[in-house]
């Protein structure tokens, strides 16, 4: 099946700093989603981004499907950005576009 | 739009007991998914429904696990003869046809003693 690797595994920032999270995947995909899991466990969908760049406030994401990676950029970080960030892609090689394979996440801690 | 609701939020049970989780998806969403998440890992796909039809199941899904979605509305996930290795967060998500953009519920945390 498809392999999804996220880096860095852990990141500690001072409030106001910027950061870039990376997601590499091993096979062709037709969509990619970024999620934020808050400290209470709730997963929030941030972006659906099969290719190109999208922005939503202080967050933006870029997927370069031909090179099999995606980046999530967080600017002017706030303490509420803390949590785990996951990327997820479909495992097309398994014959399913519905089964998302998640990376192991980046644990972000933003200090006040 | 009240989001995806899951019940119960927490369940503690003894090994060998059966447990059932319920998921109420966003009302207009025709697709419903169950995922499992263990500590420090990303969610892992279990099964997927389109309306009332269960279209996909993970090869990793034990036969002790069964899911239903009668009438294409809410869904239940039952685990029979629970084992300690079943301890995890069970996440439900739903989506509307077309792009597979998932909205997750808050999850049901299972602890098997």
């Amino acid at each position: 099946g498809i392999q999804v690797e996220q880096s860095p595994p852990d990141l500690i920032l001072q409030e106001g700093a910027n950061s870039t999270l990376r997601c590499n995947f091993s096979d062709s995909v037709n969509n990619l989603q970024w999620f934020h899991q808050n400290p209470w466990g709730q997963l929030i969908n941030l972006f659906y981004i099969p290719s190109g760049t999208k922005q939503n406030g202080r967050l933006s994401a870029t997927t370069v499907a031909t090179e099999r990676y995606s980046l999530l950029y967080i600017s002017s970080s706030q303490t509420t950005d803390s949590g785990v960030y996951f990327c997820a892609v479909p495992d097309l090689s398994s014959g399913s576009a519905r089964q998302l394979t998640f990376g192991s996440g980046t644990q972000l801690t933003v200090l006040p | 739009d009240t989001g995806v609701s899951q019940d119960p939020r927490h369940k503690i049970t003894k090994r060998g007991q059966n447990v059932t989780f319920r998921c109420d998806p966003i009302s207009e969403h025709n697709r419903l998914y169950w995922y499992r998440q263990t500590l420090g890992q990303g969610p892992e796909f279990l099964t997927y429904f389109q309306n009332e039809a269960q279209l996909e199941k993970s090869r990793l899904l034990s036969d002790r696990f069964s899911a239903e979605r009668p009438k294409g509305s809410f869904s239940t996930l039952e685990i029979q003869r629970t084992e300690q290795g079943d301890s995890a967060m069970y996440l439900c998500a739903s989506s509307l046809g077309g792009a597979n953009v998932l909205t997750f519920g808050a999850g049901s945390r299972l602890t098997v003693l």
Side-chain angles (χ1 to χ4, degrees), chain B residues 24-103:
Chain B
D24 287 90
I26 293 173
S27 57
E28 62 266 29
H29 285 186
N30 60 338
R31 294 175 178 154
L32 186 147
Y33 311 79
W34 286 98
Y35 282 78
R36 176 173 62 190
Q37 185 178 24
T38 54
L39 198 61
Q41 302 296 317
E44 176 186 47
F45 173 82
L46 293 179
T47 191
Y48 152 64
F49 290 84
Q50 180 158 313
N51 299 313
E52 68 276 8
Q54 186 175 21
L55 297 185
E56 295 178 23
K57 290 168 56 174
S58 168
R59 290 186 294 273
L60 303 176
L61 197 63
S62 160
D63 58 6
R64 296 183 297 105
F65 287 69
S66 62
E68 295 182 340
R69 192 184 182 196
K71 303 179 182 178
S73 56
F74 71 93
S75 176
T76 57
L77 175 69
E78 181 183 18
I79 309 174
Q80 296 182 327
R81 305 181 303 283
T82 53
E83 302 172 355
Q84 288 185 325
D86 297 331
S87 295
M89 177 76 87
Y90 290 85
L91 295 162
C92 177
S94 67
S95 71
L96 192 55
N100 194 30
V101 180
L102 268 59
T103 300

Side-chain angles (χ1 to χ4, degrees), chain A residues 42-58:
Chain A
Q42 176 72 59
L43 272 164
I44 303 296
N45 196 309
L46 299 175
F47 293 102
Y48 170 87
I49 182 165
S51 63
T53 297
K54 289 187 176 180
Q55 180 150 9
N56 184 2
R58 297 181 295 103

Side-chain angles (χ1 to χ4, degrees), chain A:
Chain A
I2 194 167
Q3 303 299 310
V4 183
E5 294 183 356
Q6 292 187 241
S7 60
D10 297 280
L11 186 59
I12 300 175
L13 299 174
Q14 207 67 41
E15 198 168 28
N18 303 328
S19 62
T20 301
L21 282 57
R22 187 177 180 102
C23 172
N24 292 334
F25 41 94
S26 61
D27 208 344
S28 299
V29 300
N30 60 4
N31 84 70
L32 183 144
Q33 298 180 50
W34 282 98
F35 295 87
H36 174 220
Q37 189 166 41
N38 66 25
W40 297 271
Q42 176 72 59
L43 272 164
I44 303 296
N45 196 309
L46 299 175
F47 293 102
Y48 170 87
I49 182 165
S51 63
T53 297
K54 289 187 176 180
Q55 180 150 9
N56 184 2
R58 297 181 295 103
L59 273 60
S60 65
T62 295
T63 296
V64 184
T66 53
E67 297 187 21
R68 300 180 184 174
Y69 74 89
S70 183
L71 302 174
L72 178 68
Y73 183 73
I74 304 172
S75 65
S76 304
S77 58
Q78 301 176 357
T79 56
T80 52
D81 295 332
S82 296
V84 185
Y85 290 80
F86 292 102
C87 65
V89 296
D91 188 357
L92 300 180
S93 65
S94 72
S96 169
R98 305 297 168 208
Q99 296 186 29
L100 290 184
T101 297
F102 283 72
S104 55
T106 292
Q107 173 78 57
L108 175 66
T109 302
V110 181
L111 302 175

